[in-house]
Amino acid sequence: MNQPRVETQREVGDEVRQTTCYMCACRCGINVHLKSGRVAYIEGNRDHPINKGVLCAKGASGIMQVTAPSRLKAPLRRVGPRGSGAFEEISWEEALETAVAWLKPLRETAPEKLAFFTGRDQSQSLTGWWAQNFGTPNYAAHGGFCSVNMAAGGIYTIGGAFWEFGQPDWERTKLFVMFGVAEDHDSNPIKIGIGKLKARGARVISVNPVRTGYSAVADDWIGITPGTDGLLILSLIHCLLEAGKIDLDYLAQWTNAPLLVNEHEGPEKGLFVRNAESQPFVIDRRTGHPAPWDGKGVEPDLGADWQGHRTVFRHMVEEYLKPEHAPEAVAARCGVTAERIRQLAAELAEAAFEQAISLPRPWVDFRGNEHADMPGRPVSFHAMRGISAHSNGFQTARALHLLQILLGAVETPGGYRLKPPYPKPIEAHPTPHFVATPGKPLTGPHLGYVRSPDDLCLLPDGQPARIDKGFSWENPFSAHGLMHMVIPNAHAGDPYRIDTLFLYMANMSWNSSMNSARVMEMLTETGEDGDYLIPRIIYSDAYASEMVAYADLILPDTTYLERHDCISLLDRPISEPDAAGDAVRWPVVEPDREVRCFQSVLLDLGARLGLPGMVEEDGSPKYRDYADYIVNHQRRPGVGPLMGFRGDGTQTGRGAPNPGQMERYIAAGAFHQAHVPEEAAFYKPWNAAYQDWAVRLGLYETPQPYLFNIWSEPMRRFQLAAEGFGPRQPPDHLRDRLRQAMQPLPVWYPPYGDEDAAFGYPVHALTQRPMDMYHSWGSQNAWLRQIRGRNYLYLPTKLWQAQGFEEGDWARVSSRAGRIVVPVAHMAALNENTVWTWNAIGKRKGAWALDPDAPEAVTGFLLNHLIPELLPGKGARLSNSDPVTGQAAWFDQRVRVERVAAADHPRGTAEPAFPGLPEVPHSGGGRQNSSKNFGKSFRKLLRLAEGPR
């Protein structure tokens, strides 16, 4: 019997090269198939620890980034007015000479007049080191408008955080609760994890105003009112305390709950009571006497009252048992019934205490106490931008960590687990450095974690030392800086004027700024002398983004498959809770344009400027390029960007530079891991075996055990300053704000944006990134545009019906910052007082090599135009940010929504419709991917990707 011959598989290429994806922050391992030297296909690397072969739409479509028509093709110098698109191509030598001519005088006279800020790059240990050696205090990356509340809230509380710092114990957790988690970040590991939970019947709950993605597959969805997550969390804590469902032993041994809080009036009130050695202590419940907090065999008394001083635990219980935290008191504001809040608290308690687990693994803690097993609470949480991007986001992140702590579910089996190089106490991090001295580097790194007002970055007159006002009284804990305020502050000359703005991969004229329409004007406005208020702008990007037209000098970057990169333990590693991990990228294809890896360009500039660490004693360049730096640079003796194959190739973590290190990584699949010993896998902050392993690996020089901070002394020190104590005092107009925001126990206060509701803006407005888009460059991608080439403003049923919206209608959306007119769609699974849209779909005409009639440029839109960068009427220029960290409060936004019938909007274009950007020289040689010829362009790109036939 003849059977038909079916071709089940075809070789898609003639060579496979393994590297690391760059289409989101997962940094998955990928196999890049080449055909005749061109990228033909990208698949997941099954051996990679992060994605285990799983690859999302973004990763698979990376092929389209390498062939994108918008790729910049050569250095450019502006020859017309900013925004005119008038550029001339120049050589790399001309470009570098121009940059040096601008930067060298600044370094020699006033290095603070350079502001160097980078976007979503993954080389921040290099860029920060470069800026430190230049000597400018004005450096930061994108975290200030993305995730600093999450990072700082976690590090100040548990020594790690959500986001990239840890993950749930996917193998053992029985209840998983997500707060504000969208699908763009860490998507493959979360998808894999949720799949594991579903397969074994674990329960998944999502708390989010919008039900998409992960929320859509959750067993339960709680459609909370934006900005009230902290209120809900503190109510859950109230219920658990009320029921006595907290882990008392965990609190006594591993947190500062048993430390005594000074109750005496004066400059020490609210700080910990200390002994003669200036050490906090506990009361041993067996003796009733003071004992060292780290003493072997000590049994701390959580309820102690000693000489009129009470424990943190007693303060905490008293605060959260107040009636104002009861579910009945918060339900209406949260948009969640009191019954459902109590039900969720009961679910948490049942999973943590009735389904408790234990691993039979003996271990020894840092005090020298021996433990026969590792008890676990199989409850885990994850949170992201949904709770972080509010002006109360720092305290909300702290509240969620407190909830985990009370359940005993951090660093225990079944709970939330930290990834090396975390956990780290605050004391293991640097404080920020800022003193600019002509011709000299800073004395330390720009970014860090302040302990008290003494660590603020202030000039002798008390003014902020940084252009973004990071680490000032306005935003004391701004561990990632405030990138969203660089342009507005530089334009206003507040606190001073700069000369050169140096940006990398930061689309600040469009979707990475608040009040984008006004920011575009700031970039082109001149002073009375006719000169631009921001005199010079250097920009590096791989693509013709909206920002390119506003730069004076363009340094074209490579795409991620054409470059070396280092995903480092010094920066943003790819660790797992059971293993430290790092990875590389390398040029799997060579660029076909006059472009250079930005990091190599940065090192070249550093050598030309004679920056310390970048030149040899004779003044010659120390590093050939970024790859050479990755292999040979040492941040500390024996510790460099990559931990694997050091020394003779057999050493991990510590060891001399190995000239063959990059080749070893490439041969190993572009990644390396160092596994945590089994006895060290849990209880990491207190586990002696883990601490010793971390020192051997080079994560820190000495063991760093510490207690989780329920009560934050650094925050209390700022409160004391606001109350008038101490030599460093805040401005009077910030005292009340500091008293409220810097409370040492996690609190909730209304987001600042809620004030706009009283002025006719009652509706919450959010943006969210989809699973198939991450960087703004995704919506130029020929494959991804087929999935999501348009965005709508999604309206809840209550609003849709109240105004009589119909399919095809538009909406006029207003805020105190502006107005937009946009297409709308109905969505039932949405908080009834909230509207939202996908972020970064809307594009400005003329950018990204898209045709003028591309849907992204015609009906696509941003909410950014509605979001003010400053708070209203405060008597000073205060950023629209969290008052603790300076994180951009994107999600505080309040708007008014009015129906515009389809018949009344015949043009069918989103407003505001900005004039199209003139064409910038790019690889495409013309506009691509219009809505009319999309299919033709798509097929052409496919043929290009397949290579010659």
Side-chain angles (χ1 to χ4, degrees):
M1 184 175 179
N2 294 327
Q3 294 288 337
R5 183 181 179 84
V6 178
E7 186 178 21
T8 58
Q9 186 173 353
R10 175 186 296 178
E11 291 295 330
V12 295
D14 47 41
E15 184 182 0
V16 177
R17 295 182 174 180
Q18 295 181 310
T19 187
T20 305
C21 189
Y22 198 8
M23 295 298 284
C24 83
C26 289
R27 294 151 300 163
C28 296
I30 52 175
N31 297 334
V32 181
H33 293 256
L34 303 180
K35 188 173 184 179
S36 301
R38 295 189 180 188
V39 181
Y41 177 61
I42 299 175
E43 65 178 347
N45 178 357
R46 293 177 181 268
D47 296 323
H48 199 277
I50 298 300
N51 57 316
K52 302 173 179 62
V54 173
L55 200 62
C56 68
K58 298 188 298 292
S61 70
I63 185 174
M64 293 292 114
Q65 299 302 132
V66 186
T67 60
S70 65
R71 289 169 300 149
L72 297 170
K73 63 179 181 178
L76 300 172
R77 179 167 51 208
R78 178 176 61 81
V79 293
R82 277 196 198 148
S84 68
F87 288 95
E88 63 176 358
E89 289 190 9
I90 58 177
S91 70
W92 270 105
E93 189 58 29
E94 287 178 282
L96 294 168
E97 286 178 352
T98 300
V100 169
W102 294 352
L103 298 177
K104 190 175 180 61
L106 299 183
R107 184 167 194 272
E108 293 172 347
T109 60
E112 71 277 6
K113 290 187 177 294
L114 169 66
F116 179 36
F117 285 75
T118 72
R120 291 182 180 85
D121 73 288
Q122 294 169 9
S123 60
Q124 290 160 23
S125 69
L126 167 68
T127 54
W129 178 74
W130 189 93
Q132 177 183 332
N133 282 295
F134 186 91
T136 177
N138 294 315
Y139 164 82
H142 77 288
F145 63 71
C146 178
S147 60
V148 67
N149 274 341
M150 196 63 63
I155 286 173
Y156 275 98
T157 310
I158 66 170
F162 298 114
W163 220 272
E164 296 168 20
F165 297 82
Q167 70 182 34
D169 186 355
W170 298 114
E171 305 297 333
R172 300 176 184 88
T173 195
K174 299 178 181 178
L175 176 62
F176 176 48
V177 185
M178 297 176 285
F179 278 83
V181 178
E183 297 87 62
D184 64 310
H185 199 281
D186 206 31
S187 61
N188 285 336
I190 292 178
K191 285 183 291 188
I192 294 169
I194 290 176
K196 289 179 179 178
L197 301 186
K198 291 283 190 178
R200 57 185 178 80
R203 186 161 164 75
V204 178
I205 299 173
S206 179
V207 181
N208 196 318
V210 182
R211 189 169 197 181
T212 61
Y214 306 138
S215 298
V217 300
D219 298 294
D220 197 2
W221 168 63
I222 298 175
I224 194 168
T225 300
T228 64
D229 303 80
L231 195 59
L232 170 65
I233 292 164
L234 295 181
S235 190
L236 293 171
I237 289 172
H238 174 96
C239 294
L240 292 170
L241 291 171
E242 197 174 50
K245 294 294 186 179
I246 58 175
D247 192 328
L248 295 173
D249 183 64
Y250 186 95
L251 290 168
Q253 292 294 325
W254 316 126
T255 79
N256 67 9
L259 298 188
L260 294 159
V261 177
N262 194 315
E263 309 267 357
H264 296 166
E265 294 297 330
E268 299 296 316
K269 184 175 182 180
L271 302 179
F272 296 135
V273 180
R274 285 174 161 77
N275 59 23
E277 289 76 36
S278 299
Q279 290 295 312
F281 57 88
V282 299
I283 303 301
D284 192 323
R285 66 183 182 87
R286 299 171 303 176
T287 66
H289 296 301
W293 67 270
D294 56 354
K296 183 177 181 179
V298 173
E299 297 183 12
D301 183 355
L302 286 171
D305 188 330
W306 185 79
Q307 297 185 0
H309 307 298
R310 295 174 299 151
T311 61
V312 168
F313 181 79
R314 291 187 63 169
H315 281 269
M316 177 185 70
V317 171
E318 178 182 312
E319 173 61 32
Y320 299 129
L321 281 180
K322 289 178 179 177
E324 66 200 59
H325 295 299
E328 292 74 18
V330 307
R333 191 154 202 166
C334 293
V336 183
T337 66
E339 179 184 22
R340 184 64 189 95
I341 296 173
R342 292 191 180 278
Q343 180 187 357
L344 179 54
E347 288 184 86
L348 295 172
E350 198 276 335
F353 299 104
E354 304 306 318
Q355 301 184 51
I357 60 178
S358 181
L359 299 183
R361 297 185 191 177
W363 64 289
V364 179
D365 69 32
F366 70 99
R367 300 181 176 103
N369 299 318
E370 296 181 359
H371 303 264
D373 60 357
M374 293 181 167
R377 308 291 184 187
V379 177
S380 59
F381 297 86
H382 192 60
M384 283 177 50
R385 196 176 293 108
I387 70 169
S388 180
H390 288 285
S391 52
N392 58 17
F394 176 82
Q395 287 283 17
T396 296
R398 290 193 70 225
L400 185 52
H401 288 301
L402 175 58
L403 176 59
Q404 295 190 104
I405 290 169
L406 292 176
L407 294 169
V410 183
E411 266 303 310
T412 57
Y416 191 75
R417 306 180 63 194
L418 296 167
K419 303 177 181 180
Y422 297 91
K424 283 185 183 181
I426 290 294
E427 292 73 21
H429 294 268
T431 55
H433 296 74
F434 65 94
V435 178
T437 304
K440 300 290 185 182
L442 298 186
T443 55
H446 304 77
L447 306 179
Y449 291 85
V450 304
R451 281 63 143 168
S452 74
D454 292 340
D455 297 326
L456 292 178
C457 297
L458 301 177
L459 298 172
D461 63 358
Q463 289 298 306
R466 292 171 53 102
I467 189 64
D468 62 355
K469 301 186 182 181
F471 304 109
S472 71
W473 291 108
E474 294 182 18
N475 312 104
F477 289 5
S478 47
H480 291 173
L482 286 79
M483 188 169 183
H484 51 291
M485 292 307 298
V486 172
I487 292 171
N489 287 355
H491 173 269
D494 179 21
Y496 49 79
R497 297 216 172 269
I498 65 169
D499 177 271
T500 300
L501 176 61
F502 191 0
L503 296 175
Y504 172 50
M505 217 172 89
N507 197 13
M508 302 304 295
S509 75
W510 196 246
N511 64 286
S512 290
S513 66
M514 296 174 161
N515 200 4
S516 302
R518 178 67 185 123
V519 166
M520 286 185 276
E521 294 174 349
M522 295 178 188
L523 292 170
T524 58
E525 284 183 352
T526 58
E528 292 181 359
D529 58 3
D531 292 336
Y532 290 117
L533 292 174
I534 303 176
R536 298 183 179 95
I537 299 175
I538 304 173
Y539 184 50
S540 180
D541 203 325
Y543 306 101
S545 70
E546 285 87 354
M547 185 63 209
V548 167
Y550 294 94
D552 305 309
L553 179 66
I554 305 295
L555 307 176
D557 193 17
T558 53
T559 68
Y560 74 100
L561 296 181
E562 301 168 327
R563 60 181 295 117
H564 282 99
D565 259 329
C566 178
I567 298 93
S568 170
L569 285 169
L570 300 178
D571 199 345
R572 302 174 70 183
I574 58 162
S575 298
E576 294 291 291
D578 288 320
D582 59 13
V584 300
R585 295 187 187 92
W586 59 286
V588 297
V589 292
E590 292 296 326
D592 58 357
R593 312 165 312 288
E594 286 297 318
V595 299
R596 295 183 185 179
C597 166
F598 172 72
Q599 290 72 18
S600 293
V601 171
L602 203 60
L603 290 166
D604 191 341
L605 286 173
R608 291 168 186 250
L609 292 165
L611 301 187
M614 297 176 222
V615 289
E616 301 285 8
E617 290 185 4
D618 63 1
S620 62
K622 186 177 183 68
Y623 301 110
R624 182 180 62 254
D625 54 20
Y626 189 35
D628 192 28
Y629 164 91
I630 290 171
V631 169
N632 290 302
H633 176 72
Q634 294 187 82
R635 193 54 55 95
R636 307 192 306 275
V639 176
L642 292 173
M643 69 171 176
F645 311 111
R646 300 194 66 80
D648 62 1
T650 65
Q651 295 169 267
T652 297
R654 296 178 186 267
N658 171 15
Q661 187 182 40
M662 185 66 69
E663 289 71 24
R664 291 291 299 274
Y665 265 83
I666 292 170
F671 69 92
H672 186 76
Q673 283 193 309
H675 290 274
V676 178
E678 186 177 78
E679 70 274 15
F682 294 94
Y683 293 85
K684 293 190 186 85
W686 322 290
N687 189 319
Y690 177 80
Q691 294 292 321
D692 291 342
W693 174 85
V695 170
R696 289 196 303 273
L697 193 66
L699 301 184
Y700 25 78
E701 295 305 305
T702 60
Q704 300 282 331
Y706 63 97
L707 300 176
F708 286 169
N709 289 300
I710 293 172
W711 184 280
S712 173
E713 269 200 316
M715 299 189 77
R716 177 58 189 154
R717 291 189 184 107
F718 278 88
Q719 265 197 327
L720 283 168
E723 293 166 8
F725 295 102
R728 246 187 180 179
Q729 289 290 296
D732 288 343
H733 70 279
L734 293 175
R735 290 184 186 273
D736 288 343
R737 165 167 145 146
L738 287 165
R739 288 190 196 101
Q740 177 193 56
M742 287 296 197
Q743 295 188 49
L745 284 174
V747 297
W748 182 86
Y749 52 85
Y752 295 162
D754 282 5
E755 298 175 5
D756 287 354
F759 297 95
Y761 304 109
V763 179
H764 298 270
L766 307 177
T767 60
Q768 182 170 297
R769 288 191 184 274
M771 196 175 294
D772 44 82
M773 295 282 183
Y774 183 66
H775 297 277
S776 56
W777 67 34
S779 52
Q780 64 153 347
N781 187 295
W783 288 358
L784 295 177
R785 293 182 66 221
Q786 295 182 94
I787 301 172
R788 203 172 311 277
R790 302 172 184 270
N791 63 322
Y792 298 88
L793 186 69
Y794 292 98
L795 310 183
T797 301
K798 184 175 83 169
L799 182 56
W800 185 271
Q801 293 179 344
Q803 293 202 31
F805 276 98
E806 298 177 359
E807 187 175 351
D809 280 350
W810 293 63
R812 182 178 299 106
V813 188
S814 308
S815 76
R816 64 180 175 85
R819 190 188 77 177
I820 59 177
V821 178
V822 297
V824 296
H826 174 222
M827 183 174 179
L830 178 58
N831 176 274
E832 65 176 11
N833 297 309
T834 302
V835 298
W836 74 280
T837 191
W838 297 118
N839 187 30
I841 303 299
K843 292 285 181 259
R844 186 169 172 185
K845 288 187 176 184
W848 302 98
L850 296 176
D851 266 3
D853 63 349
E856 292 86 352
V858 176
T859 62
F861 64 93
L862 300 177
L863 288 186
N864 302 53
H865 308 314
L866 300 177
I867 304 175
E869 78 278 17
L870 298 175
L871 294 173
K874 300 296 181 181
R877 292 182 72 258
L878 296 179
S879 69
N880 180 17
S881 307
D882 187 292
V884 181
T885 66
Q887 173 159 352
W890 303 98
F891 289 1
D892 278 10
Q893 186 58 35
R894 292 294 198 113
V895 298
R896 179 170 59 249
V897 180
E898 303 165 281
R899 177 178 178 245
V900 177
D904 296 331
H905 193 60
R907 288 190 304 159
T909 59
E911 298 176 8
F914 299 98
L917 290 171
E919 185 169 309
V920 172
H922 50 70
S923 293
R927 302 300 180 187
Q928 300 289 328
N929 300 340
S930 73
S931 56
K932 290 186 295 185
N933 64 9
F934 185 87
K936 180 189 298 182
S937 299
F938 177 52
R939 289 190 294 273
K940 179 180 177 182
L941 284 169
L942 271 180
R943 289 195 298 272
L944 178 62
E946 290 171 356
R949 294 180 181 274

